Amino acid sequence: MKHDAILVLDFGGQYCNLIARRVRELKVYSEIVPCDMTAEEIKQLNTTMTVKGLILSGGPWSVYEEDAPKFDPKILELGIPILGLCYGHQMIAYYSKGKVKPGTKKEYGIAHVMVDKAVGVLKGLDSKEKVWMSHGDTVYGLPEEFEMLAYTESCPIAAFRHKTNSIYGLQWHPEVVHTENGMQMLRNFVFEVCKCEPNWKPESVVDKAIKEIKEIVGNGTAIIGLSGGIDSSVATFMAAKALGERLLAIYVDHGFMRLGETEYVESTFKNLGVNIIAIHAQDRFMKRLEGVIDPEEKRKIIGEEFIRVFEEAARKIAADYLIQGTIYPDRIESGFRKHSDTIKTHHNVGGLPEDIEFKKIIEPLRDLYKDEVREVAKIMGLPNELVTRQPFPGPGLAVRIIGELTKEKTDLLRKADKIVTDEIENVGLGDCLWQYFAVLTETKSTGVKGDSRAYGFTIAVRIVESKEAMTAGFARIPYDVLEKISTRITNELPQVTRVVYDITHKPPATIEWE
Ligand code: XMP
């Protein structure tokens, strides 16, 4: 069954991802696409979905900048409703020969808009609405065929619509929570203007993914990289449903796994009836990582070595396909967006070498966010323990050891990590946290142990709350739990003299330290 879809044209705005997320919360499928996708390309997407609306995202540009991203003006003639937000709003006005004043400085924060006409996207709203704005350019004149819907003190045209076509512009961001009735505005666009059916659910991908895997692999065989994290676990379970014995799940122990992980993953998946092997490749990974301190280089090396190990295993069983548990945020953060920065290369995306031996890489979860993957996992009947596990990065503890990697450091961190995990789970906090782990910093510091001076490692404890890892907040853990963690780490690990708690949100930090 084809689902109704809203495409978000990505002009590099920091909230772009949130727009798609909000539309999905309304049970309508939404996907982020490059901002220069042509009208023709949009039409072609209709073979797999029914494109019912386009949202032009914000972006850090002025329409007057020479290299500012542009859209194909023909999309305005597609007859598909369009909503421009912020930069999208300014661009629609600019392209339609409205008047746009270049901003000299950026204004951002809460604004009160006066709603002149509560119609279309603004239907049912009050005459005064609290919204979140962040803009440089300002629209101050519209051509004949448009009408102003709302204004603020500094924006004479804060919202507009085309008089006959379903084209809207909002200077503000309805997708952020600070816009009080933002969800109502998006609901209006999605249901009133675009007439979408709210029939998309994350689990809609299950049948589609199983069918896709069957079609691509045909009578061949595939392998999947199984790390034991929720993403690769769900992808493995899906692929096993599609291929049965023709799927080999390969768990690679690269030496940076958590304590007891290898045994746990092997036994869990064997019990689920999945064909699985564990490859012990600690030495070859450590050899390649010797002396490497740059985090991106570490990630790239691990990503590449993973593929080489997979290829060797695949050759043995003549597998042509590689299945991976890549999810949507991995792709975004690995820089598939044209106008945003690469933050870090997740090993299962940007870290892939160019000369891959597989016929194709299949990523059945590529369009899902983490919490959606969890929903899928529940629906598919995966054990609760697996469903609620905290995410674990592909490169594992390697990106939690700052600086050079050694076996000693890795063993030390493994033990510290186990203490953090146990103490958090013992007090029942695990279920409400996104991740909780230890990081081995490069900082050494002085301490006293017994009666003598000690000079040892500093462990940082990172515990965060998050919904889908794009943003995260450090968790306000009770002091007695933190104290227990700190006491146990310094008592049980003599090499550690200091434990610190990371109180940085994402952004500006990322969740992992490297
Ligand atoms: P950051 O550190 O980018 O992490 O804020 C966001 C989420 O992604 C996980 N993560 C990874 N997952 N391969 C993965 O499969 C990776 O290379 C990787 N790096 C980070 C991280 O644990 C967090 O949940």
Side-chain angles (χ1 to χ4, degrees), residues 58 219 335 354:
N219 291 326
E354 276 168 17

Side-chain angles (χ1 to χ4, degrees), residues 227 231-232 299 325-327 329-330 333-334 343-349 370 390-396 399-400 434-435 437 462 464 466 468-472 506 509-514:
S227 71
D231 306 340
S232 62
R299 283 174 173 276
T326 317
I327 62 168
D330 298 341
E333 297 217 338
S334 295
I343 311 219
K344 60 177 79 162
T345 314
H346 282 198
H347 89 278
N348 48 2
V349 190
K370 186 80 87 183
Q390 49 170 331
F392 187 64
V399 291
R400 296 178 180 170
W434 178 263
Q435 269 170 300
F437 56 86
R462 180 80 166 138
V464 293
S466 177
E468 32 32 20
M470 298 301 289
T471 60
K506 171 185 180 176
T510 52
I511 295 176
E512 303 290 345
W513 273 40
E514 285 198 335

